[in-house]
Amino acid sequence: MYNDTSRAVGPSSNLEAALASVAPGDGLELAGGDYFLHRPLFVDDRFLQGNGADVVRIHGTVVLSGTLSQVWGIGVHAPKDGPAFDVVSGFPTLIHCAARLRPDAEEVAIRVNDAGLEIDDCVVEETEERPALVARKARLSIERSRVGHITVGGGSKLSVFQSTLGAVRVNSDAIVVLGGACTLVPAGKGPGLVVDSGGTFTAPQLYYKGNSPYIHIDDATVDISRIQTDGARVRISVEGDAHINVDPEMCVVVGSGANEGPVL
């Protein structure tokens, strides 16, 4: 964490006023407990530090801007009508955090628009109706984390390392690259991976956990050198102008859109 000046606050504090009282590069150390926001909390080139996502809980939306912004060891519980984290500029960082959604959530857990975000050792929840993370024109890094359903588009670039993801959708010329030991654990019966609209998905190895592994590719590029499953082969449906290279031992490719790779 930071070595700069910080101010200690407790659950009875007005976080907005307290954060505004510290200079850029400095921030707040939050004692354990529940902090209830009456409006979104803007963290602009400052930091919030807690002792753990289950110990320090913010209820409301945290808006992140600026490259120096960092949230460490805090759980943010999204309101019904807003995200837990709304990233609007810069390249902020989340470490040891949790982004949690209500069952009736109307927004995603993390929204990134025309900005960057680094997620390290975090939990980002999804619901049956809402994905965990949606990004547009974004630069994203996810490491050692558990993140639910992800949708990336608008030319976004996402790198993932040693993490577990829910379903992934890649479109609008977005690029997703997986490294290390990554696992795909989609909820429901739909495809765990959808790549379309000029998107690119690359993974040297991928563990797809589920009884009926399914991937859909349409007008996109997919390169998965090695796929592991719970036993079933992965059904890959291909449409449009698709370019694929997938593990031939573990995949059954169907459709007429594959320009490269095995079609069975």
Side-chain angles (χ1 to χ4, degrees), residues 100-109 124-132 148-149 187:
R100 305 196 184 279
L101 289 177
R102 298 161 44 127
D104 61 348
E106 298 175 355
E107 271 285 358
V108 302
V124 184
E125 295 180 347
E126 64 178 331
T127 69
E128 186 175 344
E129 300 294 331
R130 302 297 173 184
H149 183 174

Side-chain angles (χ1 to χ4, degrees), residues 22-88:
V22 299
D26 300 332
L28 304 178
E29 295 185 20
L30 278 60
D34 292 281
Y35 297 77
F36 295 92
L37 304 177
H38 299 292
R39 61 184 62 85
L41 177 66
F42 285 81
V43 181
D44 183 5
D45 279 330
R46 292 165 172 82
F47 68 84
L48 300 174
Q49 179 177 4
N51 291 322
D54 294 326
V55 177
V56 179
R57 300 170 296 274
I58 294 177
H59 300 264
T61 296
V62 175
V63 181
L64 298 174
S65 63
T67 300
L68 296 179
S69 294
Q70 185 179 103
V71 182
W72 192 99
I74 293 174
V76 177
H77 297 245
K80 178 182 178 180
D81 58 351
F85 292 98
D86 192 3
V87 186
V88 297

